[in-house]
Each structure stands twice: as C-alpha cells, then as structure tokens.
Amino acid sequence: MSDSHTNGGNTTTQDDGTPAAVKWFMKLLEPGSGINHGMWAFLNIIFVIIAVLILILYIADVGGIHTLVFGFLLLGLTASANWLMWELLSAKGEEEKAKAQEKKED
C-alpha cells in the first residue's frame, strides 16, 4: 500500500516517486482502460475548453464564419463521442450484470 505525501506542491507516492498526475495519465494510456466514467468526464472537459476557445474567437471576430463552422463540428463531435461512450459503458455494465447473474446461478 502506498502513502501519498506532498513534495513541493507535487503529490507523489512512496513506491517509486512518480507524480500522481503522471500515473493517472499512464493509466489512461493502458490498453482497454479508456472506457470508464473518468475518461468520459475528461473528454467532456476537453470539449468544454475547446468550446470556450471557439466562443472567444467568435466574440473577438478572429475567424468569422469559420469559428461558427468549427463550433458546429465540435457540437457534432461532442454528441457522437458522448453517444459512443454511453453505448460502450452501458454495454459494459450489462456484461458485468450478466457475469454476476451467472455466478449467482452456479
């Protein structure tokens, strides 16, 4: 079991001294680990940040019609990514329920 401590603003673990943020990011890059609620929230935070940047560009009148087009493209990407994550997570949940049901029957 690892104990966390703060080292100059950096949260590290006593196991190997790797910062917690780096461990979290490396966990995201592991095969099969990207389909979880944490990744879904992270993806939506990124979409919100991009939407704010597009809104700022539109208000500043930097790109004109192009910022509107990128905004609509972002809206479509957000909707499709959220739909896909919802489908994958609900299928994963149904699969876990089916496995739990099989274990109860055995």
Side-chain angles (χ1 to χ4, degrees):
M1 190 165 169
S2 64
D3 296 327
S4 294
H5 66 280
T6 303
N7 208 4
N10 246 347
T11 303
T12 59
T13 60
Q14 288 182 346
D15 291 339
D16 57 1
T18 306
V22 172
K23 284 189 174 192
W24 179 79
F25 188 70
M26 292 304 292
K27 183 172 170 46
L28 284 179
L29 296 178
E30 289 176 1
S33 66
I35 303 172
N36 57 39
H37 292 286
M39 185 61 185
W40 195 358
F42 180 74
L43 187 65
N44 282 320
I45 290 169
I46 296 299
F47 286 150
V48 167
I49 291 170
I50 294 171
V52 168
L53 290 174
I54 288 174
L55 182 65
I56 289 170
L57 287 174
Y58 183 71
I59 290 171
D61 200 26
V62 173
I65 189 73
H66 296 93
T67 53
L68 283 177
V69 171
F70 281 124
F72 285 116
L73 289 173
L74 178 65
L75 182 65
L77 177 63
T78 303
S80 63
N82 278 308
W83 172 76
L84 177 65
M85 289 296 285
W86 181 74
E87 287 289 329
L88 289 173
L89 288 173
S90 52
K92 188 176 179 182
E94 289 173 8
E95 183 179 316
E96 289 173 358
K97 285 180 186 176
K99 284 182 181 179
Q101 185 72 18
E102 286 177 8
K103 283 186 178 182
K104 285 182 180 180
E105 290 176 359
D106 289 341

